[in-house]
Amino acid sequence: MNVLRVSKWTIAAFVLPCLIIYVCLVFVPILVSMYSGLLDWNGIGESKFIGLENFRTMLFHDPVFWPSVKRTLMFAVFSMVEIPVALAVAMLLNRFVKKPNFLVSAYFMPVILSVVIIGQLWKTIYNPAAMGGMLNQVLELLHLNSWAHSWLTEPKIAMYSLYFVALWQYLGYHTLIQFTGIQNIPAEVYEAARIDGAEGLKADWYITFPMNIPIFKISIVLAFIGSLQAFDMIMVMTGGGPAHATDVISTLMYNNSFLSMKYGYGSAMAAFLVILCLVATIIINAIFNRLERRFS
């Protein structure tokens, strides 16, 4: 067993199959997509190599591209707002609820629902019609008629309506992650802190948060990168409308690739999205590495 444990060839024999599958399913499609971004191609017929023309058009001549980038980044930033909230909920559950597993499972329920179901549910809630618009009816009962809107068809507020749905859907997911991290902190650490007079918020600041930073980072990365790739919920609820008001990079990429039959142009957007995700991951890791060193 010791010989097997230290043999590089043995390690390679176990790692190589998974590595090959991962490369074939992840890296090869990324490289193919980047190459397709250099083509003038409709995805079916003959292709023509045009170099960086698709990227030049996307970056400097497409009037809807940069607004979609802005909305994508805003979506990602809004998604990170719920992580501190999820951590706070997890700490409250851990401290004040004796058997919190049921509540954690209840918070997690929206995550396991189909995106189509969630989209249709919230389209009904946001519906401005008198018989279907649950949110507007509640506002009317509260005598807040001036707050009523056509939530998914007004360009200025449609994107914010989608932000809220995403926050609602994934709050339980991040609460479960943070709760699991807190549960793994040894109880002896809190007992020692209690002897030294550190309880409540003080214990959370000096113990819970520092020891949960790696888990916090996981939630941040998952939320940020997942939001950069947001697609399904937006397509179900608005399709990118009205008038591109809820288009993000992924929906714009889909519309160009499969509806406008500009596969090469859509591939250029996909390559841009991959680079954006990579840069965001590097920045987040750098920030949390400095944060971990500060609290260590």
Side-chain angles (χ1 to χ4, degrees):
M1 288 302 295
N2 289 332
V3 173
L4 292 176
R5 199 172 297 165
V6 297
S7 171
K8 293 182 180 179
W9 292 107
T10 304
I11 295 172
F14 283 100
V15 172
L16 192 59
C18 295
L19 181 62
I20 292 173
I21 293 173
Y22 185 78
V23 169
C24 292
L25 294 180
V26 177
F27 285 101
V28 172
I30 289 174
L31 294 176
V32 171
S33 180
M34 288 185 172
Y35 175 73
S36 299
L38 304 176
L39 306 175
D40 180 11
W41 187 32
N42 62 6
I44 301 175
E46 293 185 3
S47 61
K48 177 183 177 183
F49 185 83
I50 57 174
L52 298 175
E53 187 60 34
N54 283 327
F55 293 92
R56 191 177 298 113
T57 301
M58 176 183 70
L59 296 174
F60 301 110
H61 302 293
D62 191 337
V64 299
F65 175 70
W66 285 112
S68 73
V69 173
K70 178 183 176 181
R71 284 188 289 270
T72 302
L73 292 174
M74 288 181 63
F75 207 122
V77 171
F78 269 87
S79 72
M80 292 191 298
V81 172
E82 68 182 334
I83 309 303
V85 177
L87 178 60
V89 172
M91 289 191 296
L92 291 174
L93 288 173
N94 184 63
R95 181 178 301 167
F96 296 110
V97 181
K98 291 184 178 180
K99 295 182 179 180
N101 291 337
F102 173 77
L103 286 177
V104 173
S105 301
Y107 293 149
F108 192 76
M109 280 295 293
V111 181
I112 64 177
L113 292 176
S114 165
V115 175
V116 176
I117 294 175
I118 290 175
Q120 293 299 327
L121 169 67
W122 281 93
K123 282 177 72 174
T124 302
I125 293 173
Y126 283 142
N127 190 337
M131 295 303 294
M134 296 171 60
L135 179 56
N136 284 348
Q137 287 185 15
V138 171
L139 293 174
E140 184 178 351
L141 289 173
L142 298 175
H143 303 289
L144 297 172
N145 300 52
S146 60
W147 291 18
H149 291 278
S150 181
W151 300 97
L152 296 178
T153 56
E154 293 184 24
K156 291 184 178 180
I157 64 172
M159 200 66 205
Y160 293 99
S161 301
L162 296 179
Y163 294 152
F164 182 82
V165 176
L167 294 177
W168 172 83
Q169 181 182 6
Y170 289 104
L171 177 63
Y173 177 70
H174 295 292
T175 298
L176 176 62
I177 293 175
Q178 299 304 312
F179 181 76
T180 304
I182 293 172
Q183 288 278 292
N184 288 328
I185 298 175
E188 294 81 5
V189 178
Y190 288 105
E191 292 175 3
R194 193 176 300 112
I195 294 172
D196 292 334
E199 292 187 280
L201 293 176
K202 195 172 182 179
D204 289 333
W205 178 252
Y206 288 104
I207 297 174
T208 306
F209 181 68
M211 297 189 70
N212 212 46
I213 284 179
I215 309 300
F216 196 83
K217 181 176 75 171
I218 291 172
S219 282
I220 289 288
V221 171
L222 289 175
F224 197 91
I225 302 304
S227 297
L228 289 181
Q229 304 173 47
F231 172 77
D232 42 11
M233 185 188 69
I234 297 173
M235 291 301 295
V236 170
M237 295 187 68
T238 64
H244 299 289
T246 59
D247 256 332
V248 292
I249 298 175
S250 56
T251 59
L252 201 61
M253 175 187 69
Y254 172 84
N255 290 331
N256 276 284
S257 298
F258 302 109
L259 299 184
S260 300
M261 299 300 291
K262 299 178 181 178
Y263 191 82
Y265 190 58
S267 296
M269 292 184 175
F272 179 88
L273 184 58
V274 169
I275 295 171
L276 184 61
C277 291
L278 179 62
V279 171
T281 303
I282 292 172
I283 293 174
I284 291 173
N285 279 323
I287 292 172
F288 274 92
N289 286 338
R290 294 185 64 180
L291 198 60
E292 287 178 10
R293 286 196 298 269
R294 179 182 176 183
F295 281 97
S296 61

